[in-house]
Amino acid sequence: MVDDNGSAFDAVEEGPESSDAPSEAPRAASEDSLEHPSVTALKDGFGEAVLHHEVHAGDQHVVFIEPTRNVKLLTWLKSDPDHAYDLLADVTAVDYGEGRPIQVVYQLWSITHRRALRVKCELALDALTINSVVPLWKTADWLEREVYDLFGVEFTGHPDLRRILMPQNYAEGHPLRKDFPLRGRFSRAEQTKRALSQDYQDYYTPEMLEMGGAPALLPPELEQADTEAEDVS
Amino acid sequence: MTIQTVEPTLGSEHMLINIGPQHPATHGVLRLVCELDGETVIRVMPDIGFLHSSFEKLGEYRTWNQIVPLTDRMDYLAPLIYNCVYVMAVEKLMGLEVTERCKVVRVICMEMDRIFSHLLWLGTTAIDVGAFTPFLYAFQERERIYKLHESFTGARITTSATRIGGMMADLPDGWTESLRDFLKTFPDTLDEIDSLLTTNGIHLGRTLDVGVISAEDAINHGFTGPNLRASGVSYDLRKDKPYYDYETYDFEVPIGENGDCYDRYLVRMEEMRQSVGILHQALDRLPEGPINVEDPRVSLPSKTDCMSDMESMIHHFKLITEGIAVPEGDCYFAVEGSKGELGMYVVSDGGEKPVRWRIRPPSFVNLSVISKLAEGHLVSDLIMINASLDIVLGEIDR
């Protein structure tokens, strides 16, 4: 235990959370913290697939890798016993706007080695496709769906790539992109109209409808009469 | 005889049913589309997004300090933890070290809200399996934390108590005594609930071996927090990646064995007791001194200085009109929230608004496993499994 007279403060300054002097830019970390064992090993093992390496916020290591080889490198990071990043904490994306590439961000954590690593893949706006990591971590299932939903990044090999937070029939695009206006692309009137004119297919996937037995549909002539009645009203 | 001839035709058709989105047992606006064979769950397909408020998009249009009120609206069951972790992430990106008093006050806030959140989970989960009394006991204790919230921040749920570089205000007079009063009697109530549930035959029958997940699967599916620890993995960010001097507090991390609903219950019960211990230690060490950091980048000059000194006035004006400037870079900061690893990922381009503000949602990841957990169980077990995950839809949908 420590007393209240500042020794706890010392413990923090020496501890893993230490950060740089406030005035310095976040990338300018001290010499010894510029090395990360996994990044060094990645550079040795995969060479040009590792694009570059940055240190942010004092001690957070970010490694940019070739997007086409993401599964290969992440498989190695997960399975190599010296690194063993068994917990995929997060998958997300960052759009800086102004036509800059969208970054797909993987936050990795190794429970055995108590070590964190952030892996980034940059995707050009006209080629938003990357391999899915669901076979490696089941966590990625919903997280990749969310990135697809909000950023429009396609994950090749994902078992069920559908929208997750926005409605399935959402037609305004991908909301977290910088070119997406805060209130959406459609007018309020159009948004309301669409919300009120949803069909049961919008709530059930075709698979669900088949499984549950499709609801008893009206015979064609009655359906005709039904829509006519709606038009009158 | 007739029964035997009828049986083969039963259960041949699968049924599709909806649980929710408006159903008290889903603990929020959650829709579970279930494929059933009789009463057995074949598959669960959760449908979320009903509460989607696009907080992350909204955050890109707000200055750094204006985001704080958005954070407590996500997890209204543990608002102070969310307030704290957001500013901790921004402070880490700025390289800003908060005062010693502020650190201890934030530890108090976070541990208090861990109890707060676990109590809601305890009460509502008990009611899902038919135990009404623990619900009343738990909510009575929660009410006392609501009062503590209110006397500190002015609000019961939407606390918005933190600011970058410190807190909205220092603890009011007598607040620590009120918290000590709570800590004095709360363990007794917890023991009472414990005696009602832990060896209760009905509760055991409903939770033992229900929703089992192995340690390996739990990690692979991204489980964190009490759910992961119930499967026997000792992963707690307070121990594994300590922040705010958690390594100097004396507490245990409870771990389960089987990873079933009962273990998740036991782990959370013990966590509340450990939090009481941490709160006692934090109150004992609470240092005197300023709560807010003296740093020209974030702290406003005093009113007297503003009125007498031109530089201070300009400084005040710029901080108010433009907001805080956060250096370029990105930062992922995670704490042990009440529901799991709660991370905030902030990206700045050097401006007064974030380029990206991302929440690593523990409930979102935990909920995605429900289909795997509920497979082969009865519908009534699905309700228990859903409850045992301790989800909050405000944070899942964000």
Side-chain angles (χ1 to χ4, degrees):
Chain A
M1 295 299 288
V2 294
D3 57 35
D4 299 340
N5 306 329
S7 51
F9 200 78
D10 298 339
V12 163
E13 292 214 319
E14 289 159 13
E17 296 294 322
S18 72
S19 53
D20 279 317
S23 56
E24 282 181 54
R27 284 179 200 187
S30 61
E31 277 302 314
D32 49 329
S33 71
L34 282 173
E35 290 292 320
H36 189 287
S38 305
V39 177
T40 319
L42 265 181
K43 278 182 182 161
D44 291 345
F46 295 93
E48 72 281 9
V50 184
L51 300 176
H52 64 283
H53 169 218
E54 290 173 2
V55 182
H56 284 258
D59 58 356
Q60 301 196 348
H61 291 259
V62 190
V63 60
F64 287 72
I65 62 168
E66 191 78 54
T68 48
R69 297 181 67 187
N70 68 331
V71 171
K72 195 168 188 290
L73 268 68
L74 289 168
T75 310
W76 182 82
L77 281 172
K78 185 187 175 217
S79 52
D80 192 278
D82 290 340
H83 305 283
Y85 290 94
D86 40 8
L87 185 74
L88 176 68
D90 196 12
V91 180
T92 185
V94 183
D95 182 6
Y96 285 90
E98 297 160 358
R100 287 169 66 182
I102 287 185
Q103 296 179 344
V104 176
V105 187
Y106 301 92
Q107 312 277 5
L108 306 180
W109 174 261
S110 166
I111 292 180
T112 27
H113 300 293
R114 298 182 179 186
R115 201 186 287 152
L117 181 65
R118 181 148 66 243
V119 178
K120 285 190 178 184
C121 296
E122 288 194 324
L123 302 174
L125 283 176
D126 53 356
L128 288 176
T129 311
I130 192 165
N131 285 317
S132 166
V133 296
V134 176
L136 286 175
W137 293 282
K138 293 282 193 312
T139 333
D141 187 346
W142 277 27
L143 292 169
E144 285 183 350
R145 272 178 73 186
E146 193 189 330
V147 174
Y148 163 73
D149 187 359
L150 303 179
F151 286 91
V153 177
E154 303 265 352
F155 290 89
T156 321
H158 190 287
D160 182 27
L161 198 63
R162 290 183 290 129
R163 286 187 182 273
I164 185 162
L165 292 176
M166 306 305 286
Q168 298 303 326
N169 63 343
Y170 189 70
E172 296 180 52
H174 303 287
L176 276 181
R177 294 267 278 271
K178 285 288 179 194
D179 56 2
F180 188 94
L182 184 60
R183 280 181 175 274
R185 291 192 203 280
F186 297 162
S187 67
R188 269 297 145 95
E190 178 66 20
Q191 286 171 345
T192 316
K193 199 178 123 207
R194 279 170 178 265
L196 293 177
S197 62
Q198 293 194 34
D199 206 352
Y200 69 88
Q201 279 100 339
D202 299 327
Y203 297 104
Y204 298 94
T205 60
E207 186 196 16
M208 289 178 189
L209 289 174
E210 195 188 337
M211 181 202 308
L217 297 170
L218 294 171
E221 64 276 10
L222 280 178
E223 204 170 39
Q224 188 71 29
D226 200 36
T227 45
E228 274 168 18
E230 262 180 31
D231 289 344
V232 172
S233 65
Chain B
M1 282 301 278
T2 44
I3 293 169
Q4 278 170 349
T5 54
V6 171
E7 254 185 354
T9 60
L10 280 177
S12 58
E13 263 186 48
H14 286 187
M15 188 171 33
L16 190 79
I17 68 153
N18 281 292
I19 302 178
Q22 308 292 345
H23 192 285
T26 55
H27 294 219
V29 197
L30 166 69
R31 173 174 173 240
L32 298 169
V33 185
C34 308
E35 183 185 2
L36 301 182
D37 181 359
E39 245 193 285
T40 311
V41 177
I42 307 293
R43 199 149 54 119
V44 185
M45 287 153 283
D47 183 10
I48 60 172
F50 293 95
L51 278 181
H52 182 54
S53 327
S54 209
F55 286 135
E56 290 173 9
K57 182 83 176 171
L58 280 173
E60 293 171 12
Y61 290 79
R62 278 161 166 66
T63 62
W64 293 95
N65 261 329
Q66 284 173 340
I67 290 176
V68 174
L70 296 179
T71 58
D72 46 49
R73 277 149 178 87
M74 280 185 297
D75 186 351
Y76 32 82
L77 308 178
L80 286 172
I81 302 183
Y82 279 66
N83 289 164
C84 288
V85 63
Y86 166 69
V87 291
M88 284 155 88
V90 179
E91 283 157 6
K92 172 115 174 101
L93 181 55
M94 296 178 78
L96 191 74
E97 188 84 19
V98 293
T99 61
E100 279 304 294
R101 183 174 172 83
C102 181
K103 278 183 188 173
V104 180
V105 168
R106 283 184 187 171
V107 166
I108 291 173
C109 286
M110 288 192 280
E111 291 306 324
M112 189 173 77
D113 272 28
R114 192 183 316 281
I115 297 176
F116 187 58
S117 167
H118 282 3
L119 275 178
L120 181 121
W121 165 83
L122 179 60
T124 53
T125 306
I127 223 169
D128 278 349
V129 292
F132 192 73
T133 314
F135 171 79
L136 296 177
Y137 286 7
F139 270 61
Q140 210 161 13
E141 293 298 318
R142 278 193 98 228
E143 192 58 35
R144 298 170 70 192
I145 300 186
Y146 269 136
K147 292 218 169 80
L148 288 167
H149 276 178
E150 198 175 4
S151 63
F152 177 24
T153 69
R156 285 157 60 89
I157 302 174
T158 51
T159 49
S160 306
T162 57
R163 299 289 181 271
I164 293 160
M167 303 297 281
M168 168 202 81
D170 205 340
L171 297 174
D173 290 342
W175 195 84
T176 50
E177 283 70 41
S178 313
L179 182 57
R180 276 192 202 276
D181 283 346
F182 169 76
L183 295 177
K184 210 176 288 166
T185 52
F186 169 66
D188 296 339
T189 317
L190 198 59
D191 288 343
E192 265 179 87
I193 301 176
D194 194 325
S195 66
L196 286 170
L197 286 177
T198 306
T199 52
N200 181 318
I202 300 171
H203 185 246
L204 283 169
R206 292 297 303 273
T207 53
L208 268 180
D209 292 325
V210 172
V212 182
I213 188 162
S214 70
E216 199 182 328
D217 280 345
I219 295 173
N220 195 266
H221 279 89
F223 258 19
T224 45
N227 291 332
L228 178 64
R229 291 193 284 275
S231 294
V233 183
S234 168
Y235 172 53
D236 187 319
L237 283 162
R238 292 174 294 175
K239 291 274 189 200
D240 288 281
K241 205 180 177 199
Y243 46 91
Y244 283 7
D245 308 333
Y246 262 111
E247 67 273 23
T248 63
Y249 291 89
D250 181 26
F251 68 103
E252 298 288 322
V253 177
I255 291 171
E257 281 171 12
N258 306 319
D260 57 4
C261 291
Y262 186 63
D263 278 6
R264 293 197 269 277
Y265 158 80
L266 288 181
V267 164
R268 290 202 180 89
M269 289 297 272
E270 186 54 33
E271 269 191 14
M272 281 192 265
R273 296 200 178 90
Q274 296 297 332
S275 288
V276 170
I278 298 173
L279 281 170
H280 275 300
Q281 296 170 45
L283 285 172
D284 289 342
R285 70 165 70 169
L286 184 65
E288 293 297 319
I291 187 110
N292 289 338
V293 73
E294 279 296 325
D295 188 313
R297 291 178 300 163
V298 293
S299 47
L300 291 174
S302 75
K303 201 77 186 167
T304 328
D305 285 348
C306 288
M307 292 302 174
S308 55
D309 176 30
M310 191 60 179
E311 297 297 322
S312 300
M313 192 176 171
I314 294 171
H315 182 204
H316 188 282
F317 182 77
K318 283 187 87 78
L319 267 185
I320 291 291
T321 52
E322 290 172 4
I324 293 163
V326 173
E328 190 185 341
D330 60 0
C331 172
Y332 176 75
F333 191 88
V335 301
E336 189 63 37
S338 59
K339 294 166 183 70
E341 174 175 341
L342 170 63
M344 292 275 171
Y345 178 54
V346 287
V347 183
S348 170
D349 59 356
E352 60 272 2
K353 286 174 185 163
V355 170
R356 175 98 170 93
W357 165 55
R358 154 83 180 165
I359 308 103
R360 189 270 175 198
S363 303
F364 179 87
V365 179
N366 290 347
L367 179 68
S368 66
V369 194
I370 193 166
S371 184
K372 183 182 165 57
L373 293 178
E375 225 169 72
H377 285 294
L378 300 178
V379 182
S380 49
D381 291 335
L382 170 64
I383 300 299
M384 182 62 216
I385 290 165
N386 181 40
S388 78
L389 291 178
D390 189 16
I391 52 168
V392 54
L393 268 295
E395 173 234 85
I396 290 172
D397 294 343
R398 281 158 288 144

